[in-house]
Amino acid sequence: MANVVVVGAQWGDEGKGKLVDWLSERADVIVRFQGGHNAGHTLVIDGTVFKLSLLPSGIVRPGKLSVIGNGVVLDPWALLAEIERLQGQGVAVSPENLLIAENTPLILPLHGELDRAREAQNSVAKIGTTGRGIGPAYEDKVGRRVIRVADLADAATLDQRIARLLTHHNALRAGLGLSPVDVAALKGALMAVAPRILPFARPVWRVLNAERRAGRRILFEGAQGALLDVDFGTYPFVTSSNTMAGMAAAGSGLGPTAVDFVLGIVKAYTTRVGEGPFPTELDDADGQRLGERGREFGTVTGRKRRCGWFDAVLVRQTCAQSGVSGIALTKLDVLDGFETLKICTGYELDGETLDYLPTAANLQARVRPVYETLPGWQGSTAGARSWADLPAEAIKYVRRVEELIRCPVALLSTSPERDDTILVTDPYAD
């Protein structure tokens, strides 16, 4: 049976939540494999809005197994608050339908404090983090001092982990003018939360391999977007994890041969939250119109998103890096009513035309978009569920996007409602 990886192919906020929900109804297991509670997915099901940050989108679907993989950094208190909020909306969450990898790193209060203190004192160039401790937790993971879910089960091990962790963090805190961490308070908080987290803990790699052998369909749900990848994104204005499709294997313990289809989620225009280069950004009435019509505010932070024309150069690049099989093009309806539309087909840099975004930060900041202008359409695409429902110029726009990014459209989303979707290629086709 087909196993599908879903990744955002821009700077995030592409509408992954709706598409993952649409796909999760047909999957058996849904896996989060990277990121933390800095990412947000909004699902609209039968008029009810669900806002998720840590929990896989499949959690709102009865009979599905949701998994938080080891590639995620987990704030246990944020997770419990999210579970309680969903339970208040009538969603059942228990160890029967939610598993957490035993080797998942934990985000602690000290991580958020460090994150915010650094951002406040960074007068050279702010990264634009959410301040939730994601980056510092990943730093501790690669520094081999992080506390993991399994450590909560043994007080003696926890003492050793805390001691190693605070040797590093108290030195950092002193340099930032923060007081040392209260060891007893930290351990007490962890011991208090342990009985509520440990029932969900499992060797997830083993569970997933068994599910695959049994022929279950597995859906891997990425967070953020490919252009925020710590290696391939617009560094240093990136997240602290790998957001490409390849991370699905490392972040879950299920090998890369398990993946049958990579679906890249792509918005019909471009948005970005936070700092960093954005070649097609619009500071005019068109940019304002895109933001208002697209309701471009972050699910988690509420921050206003920067808006611009579709950048085919960047999407072609991220599709190649993630091995995207097909894209899901979202928010086409936001473009309804524009007389003309623009697509970035290349960049101009010092008199030279580039067909990719250079790696060096100074060059990224200096590139200028080369645009192709297309006619807009006056009809509505909102709620369309077949090609026949689309204006001719909208179809031409979609086909031109396919040509420029060298990747076919597998699905087309025309509203936040899950059923307002045109299926071109079924990712779950055997």
Side-chain angles (χ1 to χ4, degrees), residues 338-387:
F338 280 87
E339 287 191 14
T340 58
L341 301 167
K342 292 183 179 180
I343 295 179
C344 175
T345 59
Y347 301 129
E348 188 277 327
L349 178 64
D350 300 334
E352 181 183 357
T353 300
L354 302 180
D355 63 356
Y356 69 99
L357 184 68
T359 299
N362 67 310
L363 300 183
Q364 289 182 353
R366 287 167 45 211
V367 298
R368 295 294 177 263
V370 176
Y371 285 121
E372 175 180 308
T373 301
L374 288 80
W377 54 89
Q378 298 308 305
S380 174
T381 64
R385 299 185 181 183
S386 72
W387 287 108

Side-chain angles (χ1 to χ4, degrees), residues 364-415:
Q364 289 182 353
R366 287 167 45 211
V367 298
R368 295 294 177 263
V370 176
Y371 285 121
E372 175 180 308
T373 301
L374 288 80
W377 54 89
Q378 298 308 305
S380 174
T381 64
R385 299 185 181 183
S386 72
W387 287 108
D389 297 332
L390 298 176
E393 299 301 334
I395 295 175
K396 290 179 182 178
Y397 182 86
V398 173
R399 294 307 187 198
R400 185 57 178 150
V401 165
E402 289 181 311
E403 292 174 358
L404 290 169
I405 67 172
R406 299 170 190 164
C407 192
V409 169
L411 298 100
L412 190 64
S413 172
T414 57
S415 92

Side-chain angles (χ1 to χ4, degrees), residues 9-356:
Q10 294 160 305
W11 275 294
D13 309 311
E14 301 96 346
K16 291 184 292 296
K18 168 192 167 173
L19 273 303
V20 170
D21 172 61
W22 190 86
L23 291 166
S24 68
E25 188 173 38
R26 306 168 68 197
D28 303 298
V29 184
I30 299 88
V31 184
R32 269 288 307 274
F33 59 85
Q34 52 77 219
H37 64 307
N38 55 341
H41 290 164
T42 300
L43 310 181
V44 181
I45 302 174
D46 297 329
T48 302
V49 178
F50 300 97
K51 293 184 180 292
L52 307 177
S53 293
L54 276 167
L55 292 169
S57 297
I59 199 70
V60 301
R61 293 277 166 201
K64 310 297 180 181
L65 177 62
S66 292
V67 174
I68 296 176
N70 58 278
V72 173
V73 283
L74 178 71
D75 182 323
W77 298 278
L79 175 65
L80 293 172
E82 190 172 327
I83 289 174
E84 290 175 3
R85 186 171 65 250
L86 282 183
Q87 288 174 334
Q89 291 184 276
V91 178
V93 183
S94 75
E96 297 299 315
N97 67 340
L98 174 65
L99 303 182
I100 303 171
E102 295 174 322
N103 52 338
T104 300
L106 296 180
I107 300 175
L108 308 179
L110 58 85
H111 290 125
E113 292 170 5
L114 177 59
D115 204 356
R116 294 185 292 273
R118 281 175 170 170
E119 192 76 352
Q121 296 190 18
N122 192 349
S123 59
V124 178
K126 292 184 181 297
I127 300 299
T129 76
T130 60
R132 285 167 165 76
I134 310 309
Y138 274 117
E139 290 175 39
D140 285 339
K141 175 181 178 177
V142 298
R144 294 166 293 183
R145 55 182 171 264
V146 80
I147 295 171
R148 305 196 294 181
V149 170
D151 299 329
L152 297 176
D154 182 69
T157 300
L158 194 56
D159 286 336
Q160 295 173 5
R161 296 286 190 267
I162 290 174
R164 180 175 174 82
L165 181 70
L166 295 190
T167 297
H168 175 79
H169 273 269
N170 280 335
L172 286 179
R173 293 171 71 89
L176 291 167
L178 300 174
S179 59
V181 174
D182 185 326
V183 178
L186 176 58
K187 182 178 180 182
L190 288 170
M191 294 300 290
V193 81
R196 303 178 65 189
I197 294 295
L198 287 172
F200 297 99
R202 294 287 189 282
V204 155
W205 67 269
R206 189 169 180 270
V207 173
L208 291 179
N209 275 276
E211 292 291 315
R212 183 193 178 198
R213 287 196 303 273
R216 306 284 194 272
R217 288 177 167 177
I218 303 174
L219 178 65
F220 298 89
E221 176 183 2
Q224 293 129 333
L227 293 169
L228 295 176
D229 185 274
V230 69
D231 288 315
F232 294 101
T234 49
Y235 190 91
F237 304 101
V238 293
T239 192
S240 298
S241 63
N242 289 110
T243 59
M244 299 292 184
M247 185 61 189
S252 67
L254 195 60
T257 56
V259 175
D260 301 297
F261 194 99
V262 177
L263 182 68
I265 313 300
V266 178
K267 194 178 291 186
Y269 50 102
T270 311
T271 63
R272 176 167 200 169
V273 171
E275 307 298 324
F278 186 169
T280 65
E281 183 172 11
L282 296 172
D283 294 317
D284 57 12
D286 285 336
Q288 181 76 13
R289 184 178 180 183
L290 288 172
E292 290 175 354
R293 294 199 61 188
R295 300 176 183 176
E296 297 297 349
F297 296 91
T299 299
V300 171
T301 64
R303 289 186 292 180
K304 184 178 180 181
R305 297 171 186 146
R306 300 154 63 189
C307 298
W309 294 121
F310 185 81
D311 192 329
V313 180
L314 290 180
V315 176
R316 181 170 64 241
Q317 190 165 315
T318 57
C319 284
Q321 290 163 341
S322 272
V324 172
S325 311
I327 69 166
L329 191 66
T330 68
K331 290 199 168 185
L332 183 67
D333 55 303
V334 174
L335 301 182
D336 291 354
F338 280 87
E339 287 191 14
T340 58
L341 301 167
K342 292 183 179 180
I343 295 179
C344 175
T345 59
Y347 301 129
E348 188 277 327
L349 178 64
D350 300 334
E352 181 183 357
T353 300
L354 302 180
D355 63 356
Y356 69 99

